[in-house]
Amino acid sequence: MAKLQIKLVKSLNGRLKKQILTAQSLGLRKIGQSTVQPDNEMTRGKIAKIGFMLEVKEVEE
């Protein structure tokens, strides 16, 4: 199963509450923090909502 490495590259300060909660649900709280998530529809939907604040790479496991 493919995985995605997601990194927060823009600040959460001044963002909408929904955007902050979406980032936190991905496990991202600080700039530069990264996490590895499964590549599924739920993760892709979260990335679509706040993609302008993220850097996404595919990783093989």
Side-chain angles (χ1 to χ4, degrees), residues 4-37:
L4 299 172
Q5 181 177 5
I6 306 166
K7 182 177 180 182
L8 186 64
V9 293
K10 291 195 177 186
S11 175
L12 296 175
N13 288 342
R15 303 291 179 192
L16 298 174
K17 180 92 172 160
K18 285 185 177 183
Q19 292 172 334
I20 294 169
L21 292 174
T22 302
Q24 289 176 349
S25 72
L26 288 169
L28 303 169
R29 287 168 172 62
K30 296 180 178 181
I31 296 175
Q33 193 173 19
S34 65
T35 183
V36 177
Q37 299 288 331

Side-chain angles (χ1 to χ4, degrees), residues 38-53:
D39 186 5
N40 57 31
E41 294 299 318
M42 187 168 31
T43 304
R44 291 283 182 170
K46 292 176 184 179
I47 291 169
K49 292 289 185 185
I50 60 169
F52 63 96
M53 296 191 298

